[in-house]
Amino acid sequence: MATSTLGPLVRLWGLHTEQLPPPSATADELTPLLVAILQEAVPFIDSAAPKEAPNSKADPRLWKPKGNHAHADSKARVEVLERIIPAAELEKVKGSSQGKVKAETWCCRRSVHEDREETGSASWDEFVACFREHHAESEKAFTPACLDAHEALRWDCSGVVVDDVQEGGVAWTGLQLRVEEMRHRIGKPVLKDRTFPVLQVTASSSSSSSSSAAAAAADGDEFVVVSIPVPDFGEASDRSKLAKEKGAQIAFYVSVERIRKTSDGRIEWLMATASDAAGVLPAWVQNLAAPGVIWKDVPLFLGWVARERQKEEQPDGEEQRNGGREAAPQASSTGAEADDDVSAVSDVAN
């Protein structure tokens, strides 16, 4: 198991726009940042479900169980964990631009699914298409509270050499680096919508037998998605669309997501996040509610992808199934009924 060492990058305080690479940055200029982010993110997420530990049990010194949930749209149960990182630990890694820091409360969910295109589960190809290739579009499509998504900036990572990015015992390739802006509804009319600008890194495990970086990523059996807040992006960048809108309430979230094939042929879906909705909503209220919310993404996605398959199977549909999902899902597929479905749950506290 990789050592879970905290760092200054994958943090809720985020990055300033001036810390981002220039849009024209070369592979050599991008590589140090990508390596540094993976060096923090990969060991951190592995501590919640170590690949080398029996049954991938979390390190009990770090992560505490917060429940185990079932839903009709998911054949797999969803385990929820929580980790509180004290302010004293974060003080050791903060940069000179940070003032007084607060403790971070991270929530994590873990579920293990059959690699099948069937109700209550999803195939590896579907996970890759929806979360590695089209993460923001997919989130907007299956999450009723996600109102808008905008890719503001993307860097060309095609020249990043596979051997230059190795962490957690895995060689990483197929790297992607972008700034995404997401807008979420959190409680209208009482609370304003929140806009989240994030720097997002995607990396795939490498197949050493493949002849190119693209082929290596396609053949890999694991990928990670890391999102880091860029709270001043709307003010500091002309690439912004959502964050720069008048009256936009900027909020923060940091997350590390890992999706991988397990040794028995199933798919583990692991995601840890810390967030701050800012505004008038107290942090303690948000932290108290988070364990009861984070797990619902699993049935939301699986219910949505099942409905998408049904649409593709219709003889008069615009698309026919071809064994994989090549196009990004459309936001119009999302309906309010998905939110209603998830409210009918069976929760079992550990």
Side-chain angles (χ1 to χ4, degrees):
M1 180 179 69
T3 302
S4 179
T5 303
L6 300 180
L9 297 175
V10 188
R11 300 265 63 87
L12 189 54
W13 57 60
L15 298 171
H16 296 295
T17 302
E18 65 181 14
Q19 295 176 273
L20 304 182
S24 59
T26 65
D28 288 342
E29 293 170 327
L30 293 173
T31 297
L33 175 63
L34 293 168
V35 171
I37 290 173
L38 289 173
Q39 284 176 336
E40 290 185 28
V42 172
F44 183 82
I45 196 66
D46 193 68
S47 70
K51 291 187 289 186
E52 298 178 4
N55 300 318
S56 294
K57 289 297 182 182
D59 185 338
R61 298 167 299 175
L62 303 175
W63 296 93
K64 308 302 180 185
K66 282 293 181 177
N68 193 300
H69 304 271
H71 189 276
D73 284 337
S74 174
K75 290 183 177 179
R77 298 186 69 88
V78 186
E79 177 187 9
V80 178
L81 304 167
E82 182 182 80
R83 176 178 177 179
I84 299 175
I85 303 177
E89 290 189 36
L90 296 174
E91 285 282 351
K92 299 174 184 177
V93 299
K94 75 173 185 178
S96 58
S97 62
Q98 271 82 41
K100 184 178 179 180
V101 300
K102 300 178 181 179
E104 289 179 353
T105 299
W106 285 74
C107 279
C108 179
R109 58 167 169 78
R110 177 179 182 264
S111 52
V112 182
H113 307 270
E114 298 296 329
D115 183 2
R116 297 174 185 167
E117 291 190 16
E118 63 181 21
T119 301
S121 194
S123 70
W124 177 251
D125 287 344
E126 289 173 321
F127 274 104
V128 167
C130 292
F131 294 104
R132 191 181 77 186
E133 303 302 329
H134 305 288
H135 196 284
E137 302 99 307
S138 299
E139 181 178 336
K140 181 181 176 184
F142 73 77
T143 309
C146 185
L147 304 176
D148 204 354
H150 172 241
E151 182 182 289
L153 186 60
R154 176 190 287 259
W155 287 266
D156 181 4
C157 299
S158 58
V160 177
V161 180
V162 175
D163 291 340
D164 285 349
V165 184
Q166 295 194 34
E167 184 54 41
V170 176
W172 299 97
T173 187
L175 287 129
Q176 302 174 41
L177 182 66
R178 58 174 69 88
V179 172
E180 296 279 6
E181 297 178 306
M182 310 290 291
R183 177 167 295 154
H184 280 253
R185 180 180 64 246
I186 67 167
K188 273 190 171 182
V190 178
L191 299 172
K192 292 177 63 175
D193 298 335
R194 295 305 197 258
T195 300
F196 299 86
V198 296
L199 179 71
Q200 192 171 89
V201 176
T202 305
S204 302
S205 63
S206 169
S207 172
S208 59
S209 61
S210 299
S211 58
S212 69
D219 293 342
D221 58 5
E222 176 181 347
F223 63 92
V224 294
V225 182
V226 186
S227 298
I228 301 170
V230 190
D232 70 342
F233 190 74
E235 301 173 358
S237 175
D238 59 4
R239 304 292 186 99
S240 174
K241 174 186 173 184
L242 302 182
K244 74 176 183 181
E245 290 183 355
K246 184 178 180 180
Q249 175 67 65
I250 304 302
F252 302 69
Y253 85 87
V254 57
S255 66
V256 185
E257 190 167 18
R258 184 181 77 190
I259 300 177
R260 70 181 183 99
K261 295 180 182 178
T262 62
S263 59
D264 60 1
R266 296 188 295 170
I267 299 169
E268 178 193 63
W269 186 8
L270 184 67
M271 197 276 281
T273 185
S275 63
D276 182 358
V280 299
L281 193 61
W284 69 268
V285 174
Q286 300 175 51
N287 294 336
L288 189 65
V293 175
I294 186 174
W295 71 273
K296 295 181 180 180
D297 283 347
V298 174
L300 277 173
F301 168 67
L302 294 175
W304 169 81
V305 81
R307 293 190 294 274
E308 290 296 294
R309 290 192 211 110
Q310 292 176 352
K311 292 179 183 179
E312 293 175 359
E313 290 170 350
Q314 296 300 318
D316 295 331
E318 294 181 0
E319 296 180 359
Q320 299 297 321
R321 292 182 66 192
N322 60 5
R325 305 181 65 81
E326 298 180 357
Q330 298 301 307
S332 59
S333 302
T334 300
E337 72 278 359
D339 201 25
D340 294 337
D341 290 343
V342 171
S343 65
V345 298
S346 171
D347 298 351
V348 179
N350 283 339

